[in-house]
Amino acid sequence: MRRVFVVGVGMTRVGRRFDKGLGELAAEAIFRAIDDARGARPEALVVGNMMASSLFNQDNLGALVADYAGLRGVAAYHVEAACGSGGHAVVAGYSLVASGLYDVVLVVGVEKMCDYPTSVVTAALAQAADAEHELVYGISFPSLNALVMRLYMKTFGASREALAQWPVRMHEYGSRNPYAQLRFRISVDDVVRSPVIADPIRLLDSSPIGDGAAALVLASEDVARKLSDTPVEVAGVGMATDSVDLSSRMDLLDAPSVRLAAEKAYRMARVSPRDIDVAEVHDAFTVTGLLCLEALGFVERGKAWKEFADGRFGPGDKPSVNLSGGLKARGHPVGATGVYQVAEIAMQLRGDFPGVKAGSPSIGLAANFGGVATQTSVVVLRR
Amino acid sequence: MKVSPARVWRARGSRYRLEGSRCRDCGFTFYPPKPACPKCGSRNVERVQLPPRGRVVTWAVQYTVPEGFRSRAPIVAAIIELENGVRVLGTIVDVDPSEIRDGMTVEAQLRRVAEDGDEGLIVYGLKFVPAPRG
Ligand SMILES: [Zn+2]
């Protein structure tokens, strides 16, 4: 396989974007990424998105986005992996370049969630669950994660206040990221008194509903040098799955899809968890952020809540985690999130991330999943 | 949810009768039923009737509900460990959410689950209710 590099990134600030539809919002991020890559001319486009079909009656998304972005004629398709669509789109784009099929590939993640009332978006997000045995009973996605959170707290003795440290820190980072949706600070008290969505998950344990798009230009080694002075190598990628239904999970406090995807990506990049300087992990809810840290091998099982509450994983730590503000504060436009994460890590490695910086990291990681760690992609990047 | 007679009929085993699958090779029993064993990959699986009683392992009280479920809020979602150790994700009804406890015994009953408008199909399924002691 050929080496693959990120040579351009582009993001929109996550938030309410009533001014733009799917194609227009995706184009905004694409234009920025292409400009960042010295006007690169992509030969193919991969679009990550979850809910265009359920909320906008729009399929055929690859062609639609290509046309809106002035790329009519390029090869294009859509990758869906629920909230993990973006990360899986990145891996798909990587494969197109690594295989030698194309030299320059554009990856964009786009999601529009703000056009509809919460109940409609909740129903669309619930499609990540098992339709016949979970969704049919009206069980929501936050509710599935609340089942895991209650079990995590009970099993590992984690207090409500300790878990609240996660969103508090995410908001602190988010307040300094110009692309973040929630740019304000919160306190532990704010978290534990915020409205209950699915007890024990409260509003401030949960990532917000937002519109957003993020894009990357990927290129083969020889082309990468022409398109960027600071190409970032995609050193390893991994993907893995678990059951969609939570009933048949072997262990609700393990996230084997994250573990397996990470093992594969670490092996490919010839690194271990200890080598990672900076990471973006999938904190759709407080508890999923903690499970990620454990399954990625950064901390022992059952210990993430304690080490995080004690101050670990901050800027300069190994690894620094979610300096973007994470899904919690940067925002979680579901099918775009995985692309945001890779763009943010690439910028941290280039040294031009406009928010809280990790210092001078050389190896970074992005972990993005759909469902309750149902299908995960892990991408390791190297400066 | 889009409802069709064929779709409802197909799910009758798992949704009306709490049928799961048992792997004849490794013995793993699981819900919902599937054509292959999630543990060992064997296709040598059979449909089995699961016991209707179990204990609450973890639960969530859901106030924000999907479109179409507003009249049922709050919904109590729970993981139930049945008497044979198989776990099932379902909802608990006929109970004040504040009375749910770890390890509480519940029992599956056939209930109305959703309606396709005023004149469409009614979807039935199993919901858990607190079981009488003993
Ligand atoms: Zn088996």
Side-chain angles (χ1 to χ4, degrees):
Chain A
M1 284 202 299
R2 303 196 298 173
R3 296 174 76 188
V4 179
F5 294 80
V6 178
V7 294
V9 302
M11 295 181 269
T12 68
R13 181 183 172 190
V14 183
R16 294 193 178 95
R17 292 298 303 269
F18 299 126
D19 60 321
K20 289 190 176 179
L22 282 164
E24 296 158 312
L25 192 61
E28 188 178 319
I30 289 173
F31 295 160
R32 288 182 184 171
I34 289 178
D35 293 348
D36 189 43
R38 295 181 181 147
R41 299 173 72 93
E43 300 155 282
L45 168 71
V46 184
V47 181
N49 171 272
M50 174 180 180
M51 306 193 296
S53 192
S54 57
L55 291 182
F56 290 89
N57 313 102
Q58 184 66 63
D59 288 315
N60 238 339
L61 208 57
L64 181 103
V65 171
D67 194 37
Y68 269 68
L71 301 171
R72 190 182 290 197
V74 302
Y77 60 89
H78 165 207
V79 169
E80 189 278 313
C83 325
S85 301
H88 283 76
V90 172
V91 178
Y94 166 87
S95 324
L96 293 178
V97 179
S99 65
L101 199 56
Y102 299 107
D103 286 325
V104 182
V105 172
L106 213 146
V107 178
V108 65
V110 60
E111 202 74 60
K112 292 223 17 103
M113 306 169 74
C114 296
D115 285 5
Y116 301 97
T118 303
S119 59
V120 173
V121 178
T122 301
L125 288 169
Q127 292 190 195
D130 180 319
E132 301 296 352
H133 302 97
E134 294 173 0
L135 187 147
V136 68
Y137 295 107
I139 297 172
S140 71
F141 194 59
S143 199
L144 299 177
N145 289 276
L147 295 169
V148 178
M149 178 170 169
R150 186 184 299 277
L151 196 62
Y152 186 96
M153 290 171 72
K154 179 189 143 199
T155 308
F156 301 131
S159 69
R160 174 63 271 203
E161 284 70 22
L163 261 65
Q165 294 292 342
W166 185 283
V168 167
R169 204 163 343 143
M170 292 305 119
H171 275 249
E172 191 182 314
Y173 300 150
S175 71
R176 293 161 66 185
N177 175 3
Y179 296 105
Q181 178 172 7
L182 305 178
R183 301 190 59 196
F184 54 88
R185 294 173 160 225
I186 56 170
S187 66
V188 167
D189 216 42
D190 293 332
V191 179
V192 302
R193 287 168 197 274
S194 62
V196 179
I197 293 178
D199 186 43
I201 286 181
R202 288 173 180 266
L203 184 67
L204 290 176
D205 286 305
S206 172
S207 49
I209 287 171
D211 301 336
L216 306 171
V217 179
L218 302 177
S220 59
E221 192 170 9
D222 43 334
V223 179
R225 307 288 162 193
K226 293 176 203 143
L227 298 176
S228 172
D229 292 331
T230 51
V232 170
E233 183 172 10
V234 181
V237 296
M239 300 183 287
T241 53
D242 200 347
S243 63
V244 171
D245 59 83
L246 285 200
S247 294
S248 67
R249 288 287 169 97
M250 304 297 171
D251 177 353
L252 284 166
L253 298 178
D254 187 15
S257 73
V258 179
R259 200 160 29 78
L260 296 169
E263 280 168 11
K264 166 101 174 136
Y266 290 148
R267 208 163 42 240
M268 190 169 160
R270 294 197 178 87
V271 297
S272 80
R274 284 184 305 278
D275 299 318
I276 306 298
D277 298 309
V278 57
E280 288 287 332
V281 305
H282 196 93
D283 59 327
F285 301 93
T286 298
V287 70
T288 64
L290 298 171
L291 288 179
C292 271
L293 297 186
E294 296 173 8
L296 290 166
F298 298 149
V299 57
E300 255 176 78
R301 174 184 164 101
K303 301 266 173 71
W305 68 274
K306 181 79 170 69
E307 297 211 6
F308 190 89
D310 288 347
R312 205 187 145 189
F313 302 113
D317 279 348
K318 242 181 148 157
S320 315
V321 171
N322 285 14
L323 300 182
S324 69
L327 282 59
K328 178 67 204 73
R330 172 238 294 117
H332 184 28
V334 287
T337 294
V339 186
Y340 274 92
Q341 292 177 318
V342 174
E344 287 152 358
I345 294 296
M347 291 179 101
Q348 288 283 4
L349 297 173
R350 301 191 320 193
D352 62 352
F353 182 69
V356 178
K357 287 188 170 65
S360 49
S362 51
I363 301 175
L365 172 148
N368 173 221
F369 59 68
V372 185
T374 302
Q375 46 187 338
T376 301
S377 69
V378 172
V379 176
V380 173
L381 299 170
R382 185 185 279 125
R383 186 171 56 181
Chain B
M1 184 174 172
K2 294 183 187 72
V3 183
S4 86
R7 184 176 178 183
V8 168
W9 173 81
R10 235 179 1 253
R12 66 199 182 286
S14 55
R15 263 208 328 252
Y16 296 172
R17 297 195 293 266
L18 201 60
E19 284 177 6
S21 296
R22 195 186 77 91
C23 175
R24 291 196 191 94
D25 288 334
C26 79
F28 186 56
T29 307
F30 54 94
Y31 180 90
K34 288 163 199 164
C37 173
K39 206 165 196 171
C40 75
S42 167
R43 300 177 203 168
N44 191 11
V45 293
E46 61 183 344
R47 282 279 182 130
V48 288
Q49 175 70 53
L50 301 173
R53 275 194 176 211
R55 288 170 178 279
V56 174
V57 174
T58 181
W59 75 98
V61 186
Q62 181 187 323
Y63 295 92
T64 304
V65 296
E67 190 64 21
F69 288 89
R70 216 164 286 183
S71 65
R72 290 183 169 85
I75 292 171
V76 177
I79 301 268
I80 314 294
E81 187 164 298
L82 301 176
E83 282 169 344
N84 63 351
V86 172
R87 289 185 172 193
V88 173
L89 169 59
T91 57
I92 305 178
V93 294
D94 297 353
V95 67
D96 182 327
S98 68
E99 284 166 12
I100 296 178
R101 297 283 177 270
D102 257 332
M104 182 173 140
T105 307
V106 292
E107 195 172 73
Q109 286 187 358
L110 190 69
R111 295 290 177 96
R112 181 188 272 244
V113 167
E115 303 85 21
D116 184 15
D118 287 341
E119 291 166 21
L121 281 173
I122 293 170
V123 180
Y124 292 90
L126 294 166
K127 293 183 181 179
F128 290 89
V129 299
R133 282 171 197 275

